Amino acid sequence: MSGNKASKQKPCHHCKNRPASAPPGTSMIHYEKFWLYRHCSSVQQRDRQAQKAGQLFSGLLAMNVVFLGSAFISSMIFNHVAITLADLWILLSILKVLCLCWIIYYLLGTSRQPHAVLYRDSHAGPIWIRGSVLLFGSFSILLNVFQIGYSAILIQCKSRVEIVFPSIEIVFIFTQAFFLWHHSKDCIQVQHNFTRCGLMLTIATNLLLWLLAVTNDTIHMEIESQLREVEQRFEGKTASCTCPNTTICKVFQKGYILLYPFNTEYCLVCCSVLYVMWKNVGRRISHHHVPHIKPKFKLQGVVFGPLLGTIAVIIGICVFMMYQIQATGSAPNHQVFVMYYSYYIVLLPLMSVGAVIGTIIHALEKKELDTLKNPTRSLDVILLMGAALGQIAMSYFSIVAIVATDPRDLLNSLILSHSVLLIFQNITQNVFIIDGLHRQPFAAATEARHTEHTGEQAVASELPGEEDTTTSSNREHTQMSPGKEEEMKEEQNHEAYDQRRVNMLELGQEIRKVSLSYIHSYSHLSWKRRALREISFFLVLCNIILWVMPTFGAHPVFENGLEKSFYGYSTWFAIVNFGLPLGVFYRMHSVGGLLEVYITA
């Protein structure tokens, strides 16, 4: 009966797929997956699908906002009668108010919910990024204060929107900086879609503010170049709306021009931090993603890198000051341009050689690659490659203009060499930084323990008779028999003297132990690690001076007149406005990447 019932059962899909060569009498045993495993797999799959859907929707929201704002900005540039700067400011003010509402809701509501922030990304929001947000944010707030003061002086020919817009900008910058300083590492686990949309809306708003700053930066170049007719065309102002001949108005105007590049940098840095937060929404970090030993910045094992970098910084500051004195007093002469480009021609090959040597050392090292998922590192690579396009594009435009005109002239040959070397330096430095970011950090704690142990052994071997001296002196005191009071006083004085001597010996032992430990740790650094630290620190200082010079007003790419006469005023202005802010951002971002390479070396 049971045999007939078994023969009537339909074979399952496992039995149907049994090979034909199997004997007919054999039974095939198969195991179904546990139901909880199937349920968890389906839940994980639905979670991934929901995450991708949320990212797609928030990305589409940001894309539409950016396209709308770009249309407004383009209309203002090409048809400033129909769309004015005030109309664009009203749109951006609405977006900033919406972003402020979401940030306040996140600070007071979302982040305080139970189990809202279970994980924090240790790689996101490093101290140099958050410090840059505070630094550039402070300068941007001061910039808006100068703009309010400048508009208040010229209130008779300016609209009230030009005072309201900077006021909203100050509140937005302060709130966003506070938000990024405290929550840049959050991996939020609640309200995923709403948080993604809020972050993307804030990113889109910062991108539009950066785009507006880039298009309006021409005004400040025009003020410096005293091209009033082009300034009137971009601003739509009459010639009567000029700054009166007063000290306070000149201070507001010059301060506004000087601090303007910091606003573009602030917007780009905020976009990068907000993007990492957007990638971390809903992310669950396992234990092997969290570093047990976090490397710290220490000036150890570097001598020549800081020395050469400091020399480059000092010379660069002198060149920059001489150029600025000539540029502000009158039109820069030929010798100033020769000095400026000669400094770059000397410095850029040194940086390129250092980056190439560092890349070769990375190839010779046996450190494993860090293959763990890291949104911060992926964004760093994208920003390095994308920001380098600004300087590379400007260099290629300069090469074409010089080759087509007169490359044999002294200044033209210097500009040509500068452009070629700048392209090579950007490429080699990117390769060095990206290769270093993908390396596993060195086990600093193991080395420290080894150094401390060997240092103690060295001190103990070099001070063999100290303990014997102490014990022998104590033994002498114990052997002395008590006598009269005078002898007791003399004995106590003698013991106090011996105690002071022992304390001095212990202090000397501690000092020698520390010094021997430092010398031993420095000598035990491998030549590869020493070379990487020297190169990284040298490149850090060089990138700092190359960031300072264009940020605070040195723009020879526009003021030398060669490319401007070849391409035309409007075309070269557009190229410079695209490439110059990206070049400044590239130098600043390279400093952060090189510091990471230095710390992990």
Side-chain angles (χ1 to χ4, degrees):
M1 205 57 187
S2 61
N4 295 334
K5 190 178 295 185
S7 62
K8 290 180 182 179
Q9 291 179 350
K10 294 182 180 180
C12 64
H13 67 280
H14 293 280
C15 297
K16 288 181 180 179
N17 296 329
R18 183 172 59 180
S21 59
T26 59
S27 59
M28 187 173 183
I29 302 176
H30 51 82
Y31 299 94
E32 293 290 339
K33 290 184 177 180
F34 189 42
W35 69 270
L36 184 58
Y37 175 81
R38 296 197 307 270
H39 176 73
C40 292
S41 300
S42 62
V43 169
Q44 291 178 357
Q45 186 175 4
R46 286 198 301 268
D47 183 62
R48 284 194 296 268
Q49 291 176 353
Q51 182 178 2
K52 291 183 180 298
Q55 291 178 349
L56 177 61
F57 179 77
S58 59
L60 290 173
L61 173 64
M63 184 183 68
N64 283 277
V65 173
V66 170
F67 282 161
L68 176 62
S70 301
F72 266 80
I73 294 174
S74 302
S75 302
M76 181 199 68
I77 294 174
F78 297 110
N79 190 0
H80 59 274
V81 177
I83 301 295
T84 61
L85 185 61
D87 298 330
L88 180 59
W89 280 348
I90 292 173
L91 173 65
L92 291 176
S93 298
I94 294 173
L95 292 176
K96 283 186 284 189
V97 169
L98 292 176
C99 293
L100 284 172
C101 294
W102 173 78
I103 292 174
I104 293 173
Y105 177 77
Y106 183 92
L107 294 174
L108 302 179
T110 304
S111 61
R112 297 189 178 185
Q113 290 188 9
H115 311 293
V117 184
L118 297 177
Y119 310 96
R120 291 178 66 85
D121 189 358
S122 60
H123 299 283
I127 187 63
W128 69 269
I129 280 284
R130 291 182 291 158
S132 301
V133 170
L134 292 183
L135 176 65
F136 296 148
S138 302
F139 283 124
S140 298
I141 291 175
L142 189 59
L143 167 72
N144 285 277
V145 172
F146 284 160
Q147 185 177 1
I148 292 173
Y150 183 73
S151 301
I153 293 175
L154 303 176
I155 192 63
Q156 69 277 3
C157 59
K158 290 181 176 289
S159 63
R160 299 187 184 276
V161 179
E162 299 187 32
I163 298 178
V164 176
F165 179 79
S167 303
I168 300 175
E169 179 82 4
I170 291 174
V171 178
F172 176 73
I173 292 172
F174 177 80
T175 308
Q176 183 175 241
F178 178 84
F179 166 68
L180 294 179
W181 178 265
H182 291 280
H183 297 276
S184 59
K185 297 179 179 291
D186 289 358
C187 298
I188 199 70
Q189 303 297 324
V190 296
Q191 300 180 357
H192 294 175
N193 293 331
F194 188 67
T195 304
R196 288 192 184 100
C197 291
L199 288 170
M200 271 297 168
L201 181 63
T202 312
I203 291 174
T205 304
N206 281 280
L207 284 176
L208 292 177
L209 290 172
W210 172 78
L211 186 59
L212 177 63
V214 169
T215 54
N216 271 352
D217 195 33
T218 56
I219 300 173
H220 311 89
M221 292 184 179
E222 290 157 9
I223 292 174
E224 294 176 353
S225 303
Q226 297 180 355
L227 299 174
R228 300 299 303 173
E229 68 278 4
V230 182
E231 180 186 3
Q232 293 170 11
R233 180 168 61 86
F234 273 83
E235 294 190 21
K237 298 177 182 178
T238 61
S240 60
C241 190
T242 57
C243 187
N245 193 14
T246 58
T247 304
I248 187 65
C249 187
K250 296 296 182 182
V251 169
F252 284 149
Q253 188 183 57
K254 291 296 182 181
Y256 184 72
I257 295 170
L258 183 65
L259 295 175
Y260 198 84
F262 291 101
N263 192 26
T264 60
E265 300 302 312
Y266 174 77
C267 296
L268 290 176
V269 173
C270 288
C271 286
S272 63
V273 180
L274 289 167
Y275 176 79
V276 174
M277 291 185 64
W278 178 76
K279 293 289 289 184
N280 282 331
V281 172
R283 183 185 175 196
R284 297 177 178 88
I285 301 177
S286 56
H287 293 290
H288 64 272
H289 280 77
V290 181
H292 298 286
I293 302 170
K294 188 175 182 180
K296 296 180 180 180
F297 179 81
K298 293 181 180 180
L299 281 175
Q300 185 177 355
V302 286
V303 177
F304 300 104
L307 180 62
L308 295 176
T310 304
I311 294 173
V313 169
I314 294 173
I315 297 175
I317 292 175
C318 295
V319 172
F320 172 72
M321 292 178 65
M322 294 177 66
Y323 179 86
Q324 284 299 109
I325 291 171
Q326 290 287 334
T328 54
S330 60
N333 53 25
H334 188 270
Q335 288 78 14
V336 175
F337 288 120
V338 171
M339 177 188 62
Y340 187 91
Y341 284 109
S342 299
Y343 172 74
Y344 271 81
I345 289 173
V346 173
L347 184 61
L348 291 176
L350 295 177
M351 298 174 66
S352 302
V353 170
V356 171
I357 295 175
T359 306
I360 294 174
I361 294 175
H362 276 152
L364 295 176
E365 277 189 321
K366 296 181 179 180
K367 291 167 64 176
E368 296 182 356
L369 295 177
D370 189 3
T371 57
L372 296 176
K373 183 181 178 182
N374 190 343
T376 306
R377 183 177 58 205
S378 303
L379 179 64
D380 287 338
V381 173
I382 294 173
L383 290 178
L384 282 173
M385 300 298 293
L389 295 178
Q391 290 184 329
I392 292 175
M394 291 174 59
S395 299
Y396 277 117
F397 277 105
S398 298
I399 290 172
V400 172
I402 294 168
V403 172
T405 52
D406 186 13
R408 291 173 293 181
D409 182 67
L410 176 60
L411 181 59
N412 291 355
S413 61
L414 289 176
I415 298 175
L416 179 63
S417 302
H418 165 264
S419 301
V420 174
L421 291 173
L422 189 61
I423 293 172
F424 185 70
Q425 192 274 327
N426 277 266
I427 294 174
T428 53
Q429 182 170 272
N430 279 349
V431 173
F432 173 65
I433 295 175
I434 293 171
D435 197 7
L437 292 177
H438 285 83
R439 299 281 174 172
Q440 289 278 4
F442 189 82
T446 305
E447 184 190 30
R449 288 194 296 267
H450 174 72
T451 301
E452 184 179 357
H453 179 67
T454 53
E456 290 177 355
Q457 288 181 349
V459 171
S461 63
E462 293 199 6
L463 299 173
E466 180 181 343
E467 185 177 356
D468 297 337
T469 305
T470 306
T471 55
S472 62
S473 62
N474 291 335
R475 191 182 302 112
E476 290 176 359
H477 293 307
T478 53
Q479 290 176 356
M480 293 178 63
S481 58
K484 299 179 181 180
E485 294 181 357
E486 295 180 358
E487 294 179 357
M488 289 292 295
K489 291 180 180 179
E490 291 179 0
E491 184 179 356
Q492 290 176 358
N493 294 333
H494 189 64
E495 288 180 355
Y497 172 76
D498 288 342
Q499 185 66 31
R500 287 195 298 269
R501 180 172 174 270
V502 169
N503 292 336
M504 293 298 294
L505 288 174
E506 290 178 354
L507 179 62
Q509 179 184 3
E510 292 296 329
I511 295 174
R512 294 189 67 180
K513 183 177 19 177
V514 172
S515 60
L516 287 173
S517 177
Y518 180 82
I519 295 172
H520 190 271
S521 64
Y522 177 77
S523 62
H524 275 69
L525 285 175
S526 65
W527 68 269
K528 297 177 185 177
R529 293 188 61 210
R530 275 204 299 258
L532 285 177
R533 289 191 173 187
E534 300 280 6
I535 292 170
S536 301
F537 208 94
F538 171 71
L539 292 178
V540 165
L541 295 177
C542 291
N543 278 276
I544 287 176
I545 188 61
L546 294 183
W547 169 78
V548 169
M549 295 174 74
T551 299
F552 290 95
H555 302 140
V557 290
F558 178 75
E559 293 167 349
N560 60 39
L562 175 66
E563 297 92 344
K564 184 171 59 177
S565 60
F566 183 82
Y567 292 106
Y569 189 88
S570 301
T571 304
W572 186 241
F573 244 4
I575 296 171
V576 170
N577 286 335
F578 169 76
L580 191 61
L582 287 179
V584 173
F585 179 76
Y586 171 76
R587 293 300 174 187
M588 187 208 65
H589 199 73
S590 297
V591 171
L594 289 166
L595 286 176
E596 291 289 335
V597 175
Y598 173 85
I599 292 173
T600 56

